[in-house]
Amino acid sequence: MGKSRRKQKTIPPPQLPPDVPEEDIEFSDEDLKFVEENTDYARFVTRIDTGAINRQCSLKPKTVEDKYQEERSKKKAQQEGKGNNEIQVDPVDVLPVKTLDGKLHYRTVLKTSKLADGDTEELEKDAFEDENTLNKSQRRAKAKKSKKEAKKQEKEFPEEIVQEEETPQAAVLAEVKEELSAEETFENKKNKLAELGMQLLSDPEANIKSLKEMLEISKDENTKIVKLGLLSVLAVFKDIIPGYRIRLPTEKELEMKVSKEVKKTRFYESTLLKAYKAYLQKLVVLEKQSVYNQVATRCLCTLLDAVPHFNYRDNLLISVVRNISSPDEVVRRLCCSTIRSLFSNEGKHGGELTVQAVRLIADQVKSQNCQLHPNSIEVFMSIRFDEDIGKRDREDENKKYRKNNKRNKQEEQNQVQENERKKSKREMMSKIRDEVAADYKGVTYEPDAMERRKMQIETLSAVFETYFRILRNTMYSIGESTEADTATNPGAFGSHPLLAPCLDGLAKFTQQLDLDYIGDLMNYLKKLASSSSVSNNSKQKNSKLLTVSERLRCCLVAFKVMRSNLNALNVDLQDFFVQLYNLLLEYRPGRDSGEVLAESLKIMLCDDRHQDMQKTAAFVKRLATFALCFGCAESMSALVTVKNLLQRNVKCRNLLENDAGGGSVSGSIAVSDKYLLMI
């Protein structure tokens, strides 16, 4: 009996695998394909009795802990379901839970009421499910059903209400997404430019194709990206451009067989030159747009200053000179500083760009009828002329010529004995030397002394041509204004914007001026100094007539010209003294320049070697009158000038004596009718 009882002992069912929701189960494409191809092997799956398996598995005994957890979850669901249409089922036949307070809590089942819908069958079914314990398959089916009902309820809401609630939020989200996407694209392109630039700087020959990508990025619609791209390409070109001018190979040279290194070098140089040309064309186009004007001009000026020996430098120079009188102050300063750098650093280009720049500026002054900004002519002050250039080279050439003459005489004596083979060999060697010298000149941009002197002569002639054109234009405008006798509006830069820098340049470069032209220059200055800022007939101020400062500057330049060419000229400067004497009382502190007046008094009166007592006495009285009419600064400068005149001319101290006539220049000082009119 004992053995039979042991044999009839029930065996518990095996443990089920962990519960995994059907949504998380994924089937591979290979499994699906295998099942579709072998449907005969999968028929047994349809014959499995799932109900029996569920019933068998549901008989698993529950522990006290499981029942306690179920009761706590049901209690929580009951508290959340208060206030809804719910029905409380009788306590389940399980042990109650006793709390610390001593109260007993029974397990209850909450179920939503469906009487309003009139579905009695579902109520009975739910009650049956609550009475019995639900298995896993039933729980899954119930969860799917609840999800489907929730989706149906969401679809039943009106679409208009949903749109009204989502429209403002969607607009804000769209704006935020656009901003974030724009920032991300900007950062990505910025990083891309940095990577390409670093690759080019590390190995230009291997990564020369990256220049095209950088130029493509600079064609973006965003202005920030375009500016950043232009500046990045500029930094790359400044670093990788070679120190020589690239010459592309001819058709014959391309047909010749060369090594791999030569091919690589040719490809690198041709690609670099094409990219550089495309970059310059893009800068010229963007220069005309107000948004990119300053950036494009900065790039052009930087390239011209950094690599003036490289290809397409003439195009760069034309673009920079065109903006030398721009109304934009930033652009004008950039262009002027670049031109000054070219004039002062001629070693970079051998002086060729100096000649071209001066000619371009002269043509621009002529085309604009002298109505340019003064800075466009002030750049001429940075030009340097070497007076002793070519002298030492001429001496060396003379010595070589003498030695060569001696050698030539000896060679002529021995020339009869030489055979034809030596003659042909010597001729061939001379030709090779000439070709090498020509190639060396073409590669190096340092001209000979004679060529440099020719370039300086051309530069000087263009500068003085510009200066004389400005003087003639000023005289012509003054003549028109006196005849018309009407007030006219000055130009954008004033009535005579180029006259002041023109006079300063004449005062500096008069030593290089030919003596034949100095007489004409003095006549021009005399006529300009004698012109009045008030018309003689109507006593109305005319804007085209010269101011007191400009007339004083004319007198000052005349004295500087005479001082620099004192030994070669003999010109009477009496008219300029008369103009200075008359301009002293026309001077106004707030309107005219006090520096020009002080310099004129110093050079014309204090530094004058030939002193005339009568002239000195006249200026002493005029300066004393000037000191009584103006403020402290002008009065002090006038009195200091009077002091210097009296110290240098002792006889003029009689003017300080208080005679019965109130002081005079009688006595030892002879009085002239001309200076009596001045006094």
Side-chain angles (χ1 to χ4, degrees):
M1 295 294 291
K3 292 181 180 179
S4 61
R5 288 179 180 177
R6 290 179 182 176
K7 289 180 181 179
Q8 293 177 358
K9 188 177 180 179
T10 58
I11 299 172
Q15 295 182 357
L16 294 173
D19 189 11
V20 179
E22 293 182 358
E23 297 177 354
D24 296 341
I25 298 174
E26 296 181 358
F27 300 97
S28 63
D29 297 338
E30 296 178 356
D31 296 339
L32 294 174
K33 186 177 180 181
F34 178 79
V35 172
E36 290 176 358
E37 292 177 354
N38 304 294
T39 55
D40 297 336
Y41 296 102
R43 287 180 181 177
F44 74 94
V45 179
T46 59
R47 299 173 184 174
I48 294 175
D49 189 3
T50 58
I53 296 172
N54 292 333
R55 284 192 300 271
Q56 182 68 22
C57 293
S58 63
L59 295 175
K60 181 182 177 181
K62 296 183 180 180
T63 61
V64 179
E65 288 82 0
D66 296 337
K67 294 178 180 179
Y68 181 74
Q69 292 294 335
E70 290 179 0
E71 188 174 354
R72 293 293 299 270
S73 62
K74 295 290 179 64
K75 183 179 179 181
K76 187 176 180 181
Q78 183 181 2
Q79 291 177 357
E80 293 177 355
K82 286 182 180 180
N84 297 330
N85 219 354
E86 298 175 350
I87 299 172
Q88 187 171 358
V89 186
D90 294 336
V92 184
D93 189 10
V94 293
L95 292 175
V97 179
K98 188 175 182 179
T99 61
L100 296 175
D101 299 336
K103 296 181 181 180
L104 296 175
H105 294 279
Y106 293 91
R107 178 173 176 257
T108 57
V109 181
L110 296 176
K111 204 65 186 169
T112 56
S113 176
K114 297 183 180 180
L115 294 173
D117 299 336
D119 195 354
T120 57
E121 294 179 0
E122 291 183 359
L123 285 172
E124 293 176 357
K125 188 177 180 181
D126 293 338
F128 178 78
E129 289 176 357
D130 291 331
E131 289 176 359
N132 298 311
T133 306
L134 296 175
N135 54 21
K136 293 183 179 180
S137 61
Q138 291 173 352
R139 290 175 187 171
R140 292 174 185 173
K142 190 175 180 181
K144 287 183 179 180
K145 190 174 181 180
S146 62
K147 289 180 180 179
K148 290 180 180 179
E149 290 178 356
K151 289 181 180 180
K152 288 180 180 180
Q153 290 178 359
E154 290 179 358
K155 291 180 180 179
E156 290 176 357
F157 284 109
E159 295 181 357
E160 296 179 357
I161 299 173
V162 176
Q163 289 179 358
E164 290 179 358
E165 293 177 356
E166 293 181 355
T167 299
Q169 295 179 358
V172 174
L173 289 173
E175 291 179 359
V176 173
K177 287 180 180 179
E178 288 179 359
E179 291 179 358
L180 292 175
S181 62
E183 290 179 359
E184 288 178 358
T185 53
F186 178 76
E187 290 295 330
N188 293 333
K189 291 182 179 180
K190 184 178 178 181
N191 295 331
K192 186 66 175 177
L193 285 171
E195 291 177 2
L196 295 174
M198 292 298 294
Q199 292 176 3
L200 280 166
L201 295 178
S202 61
D203 192 358
E205 292 186 358
N207 302 309
I208 191 62
K209 293 182 179 180
S210 301
L211 274 174
K212 295 181 180 179
E213 297 182 15
M214 296 183 73
L215 291 174
E216 289 295 330
I217 294 174
S218 62
K219 295 179 181 179
D220 197 84
E221 296 179 356
N222 191 355
T223 57
K224 293 182 180 179
I225 295 174
V226 174
K227 292 179 181 179
L228 187 62
L230 293 176
L231 295 175
S232 301
V233 178
L234 172 66
V236 171
F237 275 128
K238 283 178 63 180
D239 190 80
I240 67 175
I241 285 177
Y244 56 89
R245 192 179 302 174
I246 294 176
R247 184 184 67 83
L248 296 177
T250 60
E251 296 180 356
K252 293 182 179 180
E253 292 176 351
L254 291 173
E255 293 175 356
M256 296 172 63
K257 292 183 179 181
V258 293
S259 61
K260 293 182 179 180
E261 295 181 356
V262 175
K263 288 182 180 179
K264 187 177 180 181
T265 305
R266 285 181 178 179
F267 176 76
Y268 169 72
E269 291 180 350
S270 62
T271 307
L272 175 63
L273 198 59
K274 289 178 182 178
Y276 187 68
K277 182 179 180 181
Y279 180 64
L280 293 182
Q281 290 175 352
K282 185 175 181 60
L283 289 177
V284 172
V285 173
L286 294 177
E287 179 194 358
K288 300 176 182 178
Q289 301 178 12
S290 59
V291 181
Y292 306 107
N293 187 13
Q294 294 184 1
V295 177
T297 306
R298 185 181 296 277
C299 295
L300 291 170
C301 293
T302 306
L303 286 175
L304 183 61
D305 190 16
V307 288
H309 62 278
F310 198 60
N311 302 59
Y312 306 112
R313 63 180 185 179
D314 298 338
N315 300 328
L316 284 172
L317 185 62
I318 291 171
S319 300
V320 172
V321 173
R322 184 172 59 248
N323 294 321
I324 200 172
S325 183
S326 175
D328 191 352
E329 187 176 0
V330 176
V331 175
R332 186 173 63 249
R333 286 182 178 179
L334 285 171
C335 296
C336 291
S337 62
T338 304
I339 297 299
R340 289 193 186 96
S341 178
L342 290 178
F343 290 162
S344 57
N345 300 320
E346 291 185 349
K348 293 182 178 181
H349 51 84
E352 294 179 359
L353 288 182
T354 302
V355 181
Q356 295 179 9
V358 172
R359 287 177 179 173
L360 289 173
I361 294 172
D363 295 338
Q364 193 172 5
V365 170
K366 182 179 179 181
S367 61
Q368 297 294 330
N369 198 17
C370 301
Q371 292 298 321
L372 297 175
H373 196 274
N375 292 341
S376 59
I377 302 299
E378 288 178 355
V379 296
F380 288 164
M381 303 294 287
S382 302
I383 301 175
R384 298 176 182 177
F385 295 101
D386 191 2
E387 297 179 357
D388 298 333
I389 188 171
K391 290 184 179 179
R392 295 180 180 178
D393 298 328
R394 287 175 185 174
E395 293 177 357
D396 296 337
E397 287 178 359
N398 292 330
K399 291 180 181 179
K400 291 180 181 179
Y401 181 73
R402 292 173 184 174
K403 292 180 180 179
N404 291 330
N405 285 334
K406 293 180 180 179
R407 291 179 181 177
N408 291 331
K409 289 179 180 179
Q410 293 177 359
E411 289 177 357
E412 287 177 358
Q413 294 176 0
N414 299 326
Q415 200 170 14
V416 179
Q417 301 176 358
E418 291 180 352
N419 54 12
E420 295 180 356
R421 188 178 62 182
K422 290 183 179 180
K423 287 182 181 180
S424 61
K425 187 177 180 179
R426 186 171 294 176
E427 289 177 357
M428 186 173 63
M429 291 295 294
S430 63
K431 287 181 180 179
I432 292 172
R433 288 173 183 173
D434 294 337
E435 290 178 359
V436 171
D439 292 338
Y440 179 76
K441 279 186 179 180
V443 173
T444 59
Y445 42 85
E446 291 184 359
D448 297 335
M450 297 302 295
E451 293 180 358
R452 189 178 177 186
R453 187 168 184 81
K454 289 179 181 178
M455 287 190 293
Q456 286 197 353
I457 291 171
E458 292 178 1
T459 303
L460 189 62
S461 62
V463 168
F464 279 108
E465 180 184 354
T466 305
Y467 286 159
F468 279 102
R469 178 175 284 110
I470 294 169
L471 293 177
R472 287 197 302 268
N473 186 29
T474 305
M475 292 180 61
Y476 181 72
S477 62
I478 291 172
E480 282 186 344
S481 63
T482 53
E483 291 176 1
D485 198 16
T486 56
T488 57
N489 295 324
F493 304 108
S495 56
H496 306 289
L498 302 181
L499 181 60
C502 171
L503 295 174
D504 294 339
L506 287 171
K508 181 179 180 180
F509 300 125
T510 49
Q511 293 181 355
Q512 283 78 25
L513 184 62
D514 193 357
L515 296 177
D516 297 335
Y517 298 101
I518 290 179
D520 298 333
L521 176 61
M522 297 299 290
N523 292 329
Y524 283 148
L525 295 174
K526 189 181 298 183
K527 292 179 181 179
L528 292 174
S530 61
S531 62
S532 177
S533 60
V534 179
S535 58
N536 297 325
N537 298 329
S538 60
K539 300 295 181 181
Q540 291 181 351
K541 291 184 179 180
N542 197 315
S543 60
K544 286 189 176 182
L545 295 175
L546 299 183
T547 60
V548 174
S549 300
E550 292 172 346
R551 294 166 64 189
L552 286 172
R553 199 181 293 271
C554 292
C555 299
L556 183 62
V557 171
F559 271 80
K560 288 183 178 180
V561 171
M562 288 298 301
R563 182 170 297 177
S564 60
N565 300 280
L566 185 62
N567 298 326
L569 292 177
N570 187 12
V571 180
D572 188 12
L573 299 174
Q574 186 64 33
D575 294 335
F576 294 100
F577 282 109
V578 174
Q579 294 301 326
L580 177 62
Y581 184 85
N582 294 329
L583 290 172
L584 285 174
L585 295 182
E586 294 183 13
Y587 173 82
R588 296 294 179 269
R591 182 192 64 186
D592 304 321
S593 176
E595 296 178 358
V596 178
L597 177 61
E599 189 177 2
S600 302
L601 291 174
K602 179 183 177 182
I603 293 177
M604 296 177 67
L605 297 179
C606 299
D607 296 343
D608 190 12
R609 297 180 181 179
H610 304 285
Q611 295 290 334
D612 189 356
M613 297 297 106
Q614 192 70 27
K615 178 179 65 177
T616 304
F619 274 101
V620 166
K621 289 192 67 176
R622 179 52 61 92
L623 289 172
T625 307
F626 178 84
L628 296 174
C629 298
F630 299 104
C632 298
E634 291 79 8
S635 300
M636 290 298 295
S637 61
L639 293 176
V640 168
T641 307
V642 170
K643 176 185 175 183
N644 292 331
L645 292 176
L646 293 176
Q647 286 178 349
R648 295 181 61 184
N649 300 278
V650 181
K651 296 181 179 180
C652 291
R653 296 179 184 178
N654 295 330
L655 295 171
L656 301 177
E657 296 178 0
N658 191 10
D659 296 337
S664 65
V665 292
S666 59
S668 60
I669 302 175
V671 180
S672 175
D673 295 335
K674 184 183 296 184
Y675 287 103
L676 282 174
L677 294 174
M678 292 173 58
I679 296 172

